[in-house]
Amino acid sequence: MKEKWNFIFYLIWFSYLIMSAVLMFGHGFLLSRKTMSDITECQHLETFDCSGRERGNSSIEESCTLDEKIKQILSVTGSPLICAPSHGRVVFILVDALRYDFTEYDDKLENPLPYQNRLPVMQRTLELCPDCVRLFRFIADPPTTTLQRVKALVTGSLPTFIDASSNFAAMELQEDNIIDQVVNAGHHAVLLGDDTWSRLMPRRWFRAHTMYSFHTWDLDTVDIEVDSKIYDELKKDDWDLLVAHYLGVDHAGHRYGPNHSEMKRKLDETNARIEKIIEIIPKDVILYVVGDHGMTESGDHGGESKAERTAAMFAYRGAGFGGQSPDIQTGREVQQTDLAPTMSAAFGRPPPAPSLGNILFPVLPKMTVAETLLHLTNSLKQVSQYLVRYGEESQQVSLDRLAHLINATREQIEKAATVKTEDDLSIYVSNVRLLMDNVRIVFREVWVEFDTVSMLRALLLLILVIFFNWLIVEGIPIERLPNIFASTFVSCGLISMAICVSVCYTVFHFELLEDVHHGVILSTGLISSALTCVLVIMHWDGISQRWYEGRSPIYERFARGALMASAAVLLSNSYIIEEGAELSFLALSVLGTIAWNIGTIKAFTLWVGFGATLVISRSYRGCREEQGDCWTSIGVGSTGQASRTALVMALGSMAAVVAIARRHVGWRGHGVVLAGLFACAHWALGWGALGSPSRSRQLARGSWLILGSMFVLLWKRERFGAILPLIVCSLLFFIANALVLGASFAPSAALGLLAGYLALNVVSMMKNGNSKFSLSTRCSSSVACMWALLASYQFYGTGHHATLGHVRWAPAFHAGDPNYLPIGPFVTGALVSLELFGMPFMFGAAVPLLALWGRNGAAAAGPRTQMAAVFTLCLKFGLCFAVRVFMSALSATIHCRHLMIWGVFTPKLLFESGACAAALLGTVVGATLTAWHVPTQIKPS
Ligand SMILES: [Zn+2]
Ligand SMILES: [Zn+2]
C-alpha cells in the first residue's frame, strides 16, 4: 500500500499550487509599503555659532542676527536638519467628509441644493481680510477611508491598504508623525472627538476626550460632545495643538446622502461652529479646517472618484498669512500629503520621517527668506534621508531611480545657499515643489499601481489547476485511481517540481531572473499543469466513456449549480454583503435535495434539524456596517464582557458536546473531557469584572496543552480504521475553536459541529440501488459541494464578517501575551487565524468521514477503495474552495477601479483565501490521519 501516501503527496501538491497562485495574485494586488520607525530629529539654532558651525564647548559671545546665522549654516555642506523658530499655536479641525463644493459660496444661485451655500463664513472672512484666509482644494489619495486618510494626514505619506509593519496586532501607528514631532519638542497636544486618533496615537495627548464612533447612523453624539468641550479648551492657553474631529457631515452623507435636509442642518452647524471659533481664538493662532475626503452623490466614500478625492482646506489666521499669488488663489489644488510638513513647520519642526509632501507657505505666517530656506532645506534633507533608508529596507523602487532622486535632492540642498532675493526664492520654491512631486510620483507608482501581469498570471495558473484537477476527479473512474497513484505519476511530478525550483534558483544566482519567487511559482504551476494534462490524455478513454454513459442525477447537478452560484455572487458587492444568508440558503437546499433523493422520514427529520441549527446560528451572525442599523458582534468578543446568558450557554454547549461525545470515542474520550473542563473553567474564571484574568489564562494554557498532547495521541494506531481518530480530531478542533472564539461565541461553534453531524448522517444514508456502498454516490460532487458550502457558511455562523473591522484580536492574548515570546508573532497569527478560519479547518479535517461514516460507508470496503474514496472527496472539497477563491480574485481584478474595492472586494478576497488555506490544510490533516489508520489488510467481511 505505497500508493496511499501518494494520495497525500498529491493533495499537498494540489494545495501548494492553489495557495502559491493565490500568493502571487496577492503580491500583485495588495498595495504594500514598508513602514520604518525612523524619526526626524533637528538641532537647535543655539548650538551653532555665527560662522554656521557647531559651537562645541566654547561659549564666546558673538553678535549676528538670526537670518545671518541661518545663511551661514546653509552654506556649510552636510549641515544637519535645524529646528526653526515656532510660530505659535494651531487649532486643527477635521470635518469628516468635507467636500470642496460644500465650502463654495455663490449668492447668485437661485435654488441652492441642501449642501450648497451652507458655509458663508468662509467667503465672508475672505472678503473682510484676504490675507487672513486661504481656501484650497485638498486632494486625497485613495483609498478614501477615514482610517487611511488620518494616517496619511499625520505622517504625510501615501496610504496603502496594508502597511507591512513590524507589529502585527496593534493598531498604533508605527511611523513618525506630526503629533510625535510636536510632543517630542515639548509642546502639548489636546484631542477631541473621533477615537481613531487616540487608537492610532495613544499616550501622546495632554488631554483627550474621545468617543467610539463607528455608528454611522448617529449624526450628533460625537459633535455635541466635541462642542461641549472645544470652546472651553480654546479659552485655555496650556496647549499648543488642538485636534478636533467632527463626524456629523460624514454620517449625514452615509445615512441620507448630500442632497438632504439633514446635510443642510449639519453644514449649518459647522458654519456656526467655525464662526464662533474664529471669534474666540487669538490673532496669532492658526486655524485649519479640513476634510479628510469628499463623498459621492450617494454620500459614500472609499474609492477614487473625483468627488471622493476633492476635500476642502480652509485656513485662518487673524494676523495674516504669507505666500504670494498665484499660490494663494482660492480653489488651488494642494495635496493632503502637504499638511504634515506644513503643520510641522508651523511648530518649527522638520517634516515627519515618512513625509513626501511640500510645505504650504501660503497657510503659514509670513517668514523671512532665510527662514523659508531653512524649512525648505529641512524638508529636502528629510526626503533624501527617507530615500536612502527606503532603498536599504525595500527593493520596491529600483536603485537607479532612487539614486537619481537622491542626487537631485542633494543638488537642490546645495543650491539653497545661492538664494538671496524674494524673486530667487519663488523660483527655488517652485523647483523644490517640482522635485517633491517627482518623488511622490515614483512612490505612488509602486504603492498605488497594481501589478497586472502577476495578477493575470496567477489567474491563469488557478484556472489551469482547477480545470485539470476537475477533469481528473470528475472524469477518471474512481476504481482506476488506485492504479494511477500506484504508478510513478506522483513521484515524477514531485521530482520535476524539485528540478524546476533548483533551475529557478540557479538562473537567479546567475542574475538572469529578476524575481525568483514568481519564477518558481510560475514554472512549477506550468509543469504541474502539463503533467496533469498528460494524465488526462492517457485516461481519455475513461473520461469520454463516462461522459457518454449519461447524465448525473438531478441532485448532483443542482449541487454543482449551487456552488457555482455561491462563487458567482462574489462578483457583486451587494451580494457579498449578504453572503451569510445566501450561503445558508444554498447549503440548506443542497442538503434538502440529497434528503429528498434518499426519501426516508429519518433523512427528512435530520434535514429539518440541520435547518434549525442554521436558523439559530443567525443570531450569532451579526451584521456589517453596510447592512444597516446594527453592529451586534463588534466589541463583545472577549469573555470578560459576555452576558450571564452567554456564559451559561457556552458552558452548557461545551459540557453537552463533551458528555455526548465522550462515550463513543473510547479511551480518547478522557482527553476530550479534560480539555473541555479546562475550557469551561477558563471561561468561568475569566468572566465578569470580578474574574481573575491571570488564573483564567493559566487554565486556557492548560487546555491548549491537553489539546496538543491529544493531537499527538491521535497517531496511536487504531485497529478499527480511521473513523474514531477522525471524530476525535474534529472534537479537538471544536474545543480549540470554542476556546479562541471566547464565551460569547462558543455556542456558535457547537452549532457548527451539530450542523456538520446532522449533514453527515444524511449523507451516510445515501445509496445507489440495493448495493451497500456505492463509490460513485458517496463520493459524488454533491456531497463535497454541500460540505464546502456549509464550511463557508460557518465562517459567518461563528460571528465573522468579511471586513477587517470584524477581526477580533482578543484571542491572540487570551492565553497570555505572546508578544513577549520569541515566537510571539507566530502564536498571535496562529490564534487569530484559528479564530477566523477554525470552522473551514474543522470541516476540512472531517471530509474523510463523509466517505467512511455509517453502515453504507466505505469503512467496510478494502483499504485501496477507502483511500480512493477519501482522496476523491478531499480533492473535490478543495476544488470547491479553489473555485471560490478564483472567483474572488477575478472579481477583485474586474473591480479594481470599483468604488467598493477597498471596502468589500479586497477584504472578501483576503478572507476567502484564508478560508481556502484553512480548508486545504484541514483536508491534508484529515486525509493523512486516514492514510495512517487505514488497515493494511482487507478484513474478512
Ligand atoms: Zn472620513
Ligand atoms: Zn465615512
Side-chain angles (χ1 to χ4, degrees):
M1 269 294 278
K2 279 276 166 3
E3 74 256 30
K4 68 179 184 186
W5 294 113
N6 281 348
F7 283 123
I8 309 300
F9 287 136
Y10 188 81
L11 279 179
I12 296 173
W13 183 8
F14 171 76
S15 313
Y16 158 76
L17 290 176
I18 297 289
M19 289 328 293
S20 63
V22 170
L23 278 183
M24 190 162 153
F25 185 86
H27 185 85
F29 180 70
L30 292 176
L31 319 170
S32 69
R33 166 164 80 88
K34 183 93 189 149
T35 61
M36 292 178 293
S37 51
D38 299 15
I39 290 171
T40 323
E41 313 262 10
C42 60
Q43 285 198 20
H44 284 277
L45 272 171
E46 293 88 72
T47 59
F48 292 87
D49 59 22
C50 279
S51 64
R53 312 214 169 255
E54 282 185 60
R55 204 188 281 271
N57 286 330
S58 67
S59 53
I60 311 153
E61 285 295 317
E62 295 163 300
S63 59
C64 54
T65 63
L66 204 61
D67 284 7
E68 284 165 5
K69 197 182 199 176
I70 291 172
K71 284 207 173 121
Q72 284 300 324
I73 296 172
L74 292 182
S75 64
V76 179
T77 42
S79 56
L81 284 88
I82 315 293
C83 310
S86 174
H87 283 282
R89 309 189 293 158
V90 174
V91 176
F92 177 73
I93 304 218
L94 186 66
V95 179
D96 210 289
L98 184 71
R99 202 164 73 184
Y100 179 73
D101 57 348
F102 294 175
T103 63
E104 283 175 321
Y105 189 82
D106 180 5
D107 47 11
K108 288 189 270 306
L109 218 57
E110 296 236 320
N111 293 311
L113 295 168
Y115 62 82
Q116 284 175 323
N117 286 358
R118 302 320 315 173
L119 297 168
V121 59
M122 297 187 176
Q123 194 65 34
R124 208 175 49 238
T125 44
L126 182 64
E127 276 161 18
L128 281 175
C129 172
D131 255 348
C132 311
V133 176
R134 303 279 183 258
L135 182 57
F136 295 146
R137 285 188 167 81
F138 198 40
I139 306 296
D141 290 288
T144 48
T145 48
T146 302
L147 176 67
Q148 263 85 12
R149 292 308 335 144
V150 171
K151 275 190 191 175
L153 280 173
V154 294
T155 58
S157 184
L158 298 170
T160 46
F161 188 68
I162 292 173
D163 298 323
S165 83
S166 53
N167 195 329
F168 185 62
M171 190 178 162
E172 186 175 344
L173 200 60
Q174 304 292 316
E175 288 178 296
D176 193 14
N177 56 70
I178 18 177
I179 309 299
D180 282 352
Q181 283 292 336
V182 169
V183 173
N184 289 346
H187 298 302
H188 292 158
V190 171
L191 170 68
L192 305 170
D194 188 350
D195 72 342
T196 308
W197 289 76
S198 55
R199 279 186 288 154
L200 276 175
M201 291 158 282
R203 302 180 301 277
R204 270 82 156 177
W205 307 97
F206 185 57
R207 275 190 299 273
H209 307 281
T210 57
M211 289 191 77
Y212 181 66
S213 55
F214 200 62
H215 201 18
T216 51
W217 253 220
D218 174 0
L219 269 56
D220 295 310
T221 314
V222 174
D223 291 6
I224 291 171
E225 187 69 21
V226 178
D227 275 341
S228 73
K229 297 275 187 331
I230 191 166
Y231 303 115
D232 293 337
E233 285 290 348
L234 285 170
K235 282 168 197 154
K236 293 178 189 162
D237 59 0
D238 55 352
W239 50 262
D240 302 279
L241 170 66
L242 177 82
V243 177
H245 189 155
Y246 286 97
L247 288 166
V249 173
D250 176 62
H251 289 188
H254 282 298
R255 185 160 186 190
Y256 302 104
N259 277 314
H260 193 277
S261 56
E262 281 294 294
M263 181 60 85
K264 190 168 160 182
R265 178 174 72 85
K266 291 315 292 186
L267 287 174
D268 284 342
E269 279 176 20
T270 309
N271 189 56
R273 211 170 271 144
I274 297 172
E275 237 163 37
K276 201 165 165 189
I277 292 170
I278 286 177
E279 247 168 55
I280 294 176
I281 54 172
K283 270 186 172 281
D284 63 334
V285 172
I286 309 175
L287 168 70
Y288 295 125
V289 180
V290 304
D292 54 345
H293 47 75
M295 60 173 75
T296 59
E297 277 316 292
S298 62
D300 295 310
H301 56 89
E304 46 188 311
S305 69
K306 194 146 197 252
E308 288 160 285
R309 296 185 53 197
T310 315
M313 178 189 217
F314 169 80
Y316 172 85
R317 180 170 182 263
F321 285 122
Q324 307 159 316
S325 65
D327 287 355
I328 58 169
Q329 176 120 34
T330 299
R332 178 191 152 201
E333 287 192 359
V334 299
Q335 300 291 318
Q336 293 204 349
T337 42
D338 299 347
L339 182 86
T342 308
M343 246 161 79
S344 292
F347 288 100
R349 303 291 301 175
S355 157
L356 294 175
N358 287 301
I359 300 172
L360 295 173
F361 290 103
V363 295
L364 287 171
K366 191 149 181 53
M367 296 177 209
T368 60
V369 175
E371 201 186 328
T372 314
L373 281 173
L374 184 64
H375 283 298
L376 283 170
T377 48
N378 272 351
S379 162
L380 286 167
K381 285 169 190 166
Q382 165 264 326
V383 164
S384 97
Q385 278 176 8
Y386 184 70
L387 292 168
V388 172
R389 288 283 293 127
Y390 204 84
E392 285 169 5
E393 292 281 328
S394 157
Q395 277 81 48
Q396 273 176 325
V397 189
S398 75
L399 286 178
D400 290 348
R401 285 181 100 176
L402 278 182
H404 179 75
L405 290 173
I406 292 168
N407 285 337
T409 41
R410 293 203 172 139
E411 222 168 83
Q412 288 295 339
I413 295 170
E414 275 164 29
K415 269 192 201 158
T418 62
V419 177
K420 299 278 186 283
T421 61
E422 291 271 346
D423 292 338
D424 289 351
L425 183 67
S426 60
I427 296 170
Y428 186 68
V429 167
S430 58
N431 283 343
V432 171
R433 191 187 297 155
L434 218 63
L435 175 64
M436 295 296 278
D437 286 345
N438 276 336
V439 172
R440 202 160 47 214
I441 286 168
V442 168
F443 279 108
R444 189 174 284 150
E445 251 172 49
V446 288
W447 290 338
V448 181
E449 294 288 303
F450 300 107
D451 179 0
T452 22
V453 177
S454 51
M455 280 160 72
L456 291 178
R457 277 181 190 162
L459 285 177
L460 175 76
L461 284 187
L462 270 177
I463 194 103
L464 282 176
V465 174
I466 291 172
F467 178 69
F468 286 119
N469 280 286
W470 177 73
L471 279 182
I472 289 175
V473 286
E474 282 293 331
I476 299 175
I478 299 177
E479 295 76 15
R480 280 202 201 176
L481 283 178
N483 295 328
I484 295 174
F485 282 85
S487 72
T488 51
F489 169 62
V490 176
S491 40
C492 275
L494 296 180
I495 290 169
S496 51
M497 300 260 287
I499 293 173
C500 266
V501 174
S502 47
V503 166
C504 278
Y505 272 94
T506 322
V507 174
F508 177 68
H509 183 74
F510 292 107
E511 294 181 353
L512 297 168
L513 190 71
E514 242 180 51
D515 192 337
V516 67
H517 299 289
H518 278 202
V520 168
I521 292 172
L522 203 63
S523 58
T524 50
L526 289 177
I527 200 97
S528 314
S529 307
L531 278 171
T532 38
C533 181
V534 169
L535 189 72
V536 165
I537 292 169
M538 278 164 66
H539 294 271
W540 189 249
D541 57 327
I543 297 172
S544 54
Q545 192 190 352
R546 199 164 158 183
W547 280 348
Y548 278 121
E549 266 170 10
R551 301 150 72 109
S552 42
I554 179 92
Y555 65 91
E556 192 158 347
R557 270 180 282 152
F558 179 80
R560 281 185 214 146
L563 184 89
M564 283 304 152
S566 86
V569 300
L570 297 174
L571 290 171
S572 149
N573 56 331
S574 39
Y575 276 105
I576 290 176
I577 291 166
E578 300 290 342
E579 214 193 358
E582 169 250 317
L583 280 173
S584 68
F585 169 73
L586 288 174
L588 190 62
S589 9
V590 172
L591 193 71
T593 51
I594 294 177
W596 179 264
N597 186 57
I598 296 166
T600 59
I601 302 278
K602 194 182 164 197
F604 192 68
T605 323
L606 288 174
W607 176 68
V608 172
F610 177 83
T613 63
L614 295 191
V615 171
I616 300 169
S617 71
R618 172 72 189 89
S619 56
Y620 288 100
R621 225 160 67 204
C623 55
R624 53 191 283 171
E625 191 193 359
E626 292 91 341
Q627 278 172 305
D629 191 7
C630 60
W631 75 108
T632 32
S633 58
I634 300 173
V636 288
S638 65
T639 300
Q641 299 148 359
S643 68
R644 187 184 296 269
T645 340
L647 180 73
V648 170
M649 276 163 69
L651 298 180
S653 65
M654 176 61 84
V657 170
V658 168
I660 295 166
R662 193 202 72 82
R663 288 187 289 154
H664 301 285
V665 291
W667 59 270
R668 291 187 172 91
H670 301 299
V672 174
V673 170
L674 213 56
L677 274 180
F678 270 87
C680 288
H682 157 65
W683 289 326
L685 267 184
W687 181 73
L690 294 175
S692 156
S694 59
R695 242 181 287 165
S696 168
R697 267 184 221 141
Q698 296 282 342
L699 285 164
R701 273 186 217 149
S703 192
W704 285 114
L705 203 66
I706 299 166
L707 286 176
S709 41
M710 276 310 293
F711 196 75
V712 175
L713 285 175
L714 280 180
W715 304 94
K716 187 180 178 312
R717 291 237 188 233
E718 179 68 48
R719 274 192 305 137
F720 307 107
I723 292 186
L724 271 189
L726 282 168
I727 294 175
V728 177
C729 180
S730 309
L731 286 173
L732 294 182
F733 282 141
F734 157 72
I735 298 176
N737 245 318
L739 264 176
V740 282
L741 284 169
S744 337
F745 285 95
S748 67
L751 282 174
L753 189 73
L754 181 62
Y757 178 73
L758 293 172
L760 188 61
N761 277 305
V762 174
V763 169
S764 76
M765 280 188 275
M766 290 172 85
K767 50 183 174 183
N768 190 6
N770 291 326
S771 66
K772 206 168 166 217
F773 166 70
S774 153
L775 261 180
S776 56
T777 313
R778 276 303 279 275
C779 304
S780 68
S781 43
S782 59
V783 176
C785 287
M786 182 275 296
W787 204 246
L789 286 170
L790 184 60
S792 299
Y793 167 73
Q794 291 304 337
F795 172 74
Y796 297 96
T798 46
H800 298 102
H801 271 286
T803 64
L804 292 182
H806 271 81
V807 178
R808 295 192 284 262
W809 299 104
F813 301 99
H814 89 285
D817 191 342
N819 288 333
Y820 289 114
L821 304 171
I823 51 158
F826 172 76
V827 175
T828 309
L831 287 174
V832 174
S833 331
L834 186 66
E835 200 263 350
L836 283 169
F837 308 116
M839 279 289 151
F841 194 44
M842 181 179 100
F843 276 81
V847 170
L849 282 174
L850 290 170
L852 304 175
W853 179 260
R855 265 182 298 149
N856 302 335
R864 299 186 110 199
T865 324
Q866 279 191 36
M867 271 320 287
V870 167
F871 168 77
T872 314
L873 266 180
C874 285
L875 196 56
K876 281 180 179 172
F877 180 75
L879 272 175
C880 292
F881 273 91
V883 167
R884 285 175 55 84
V885 165
F886 172 74
M887 286 304 264
S888 298
L890 187 68
S891 147
T893 313
I894 295 172
H895 297 295
C896 71
R897 299 282 167 216
H898 188 277
L899 204 65
M900 305 300 273
I901 182 71
W902 302 115
V904 175
F905 293 108
T906 312
K908 182 62 212 167
L909 174 66
L910 286 178
F911 286 100
E912 197 58 54
S913 320
C916 179
L920 288 172
L921 189 63
T923 46
V924 169
V925 170
T928 315
L929 208 55
T930 319
W932 181 256
H933 288 289
V934 88
T936 36
Q937 280 132 27
I938 302 165
K939 274 190 296 177
S941 55

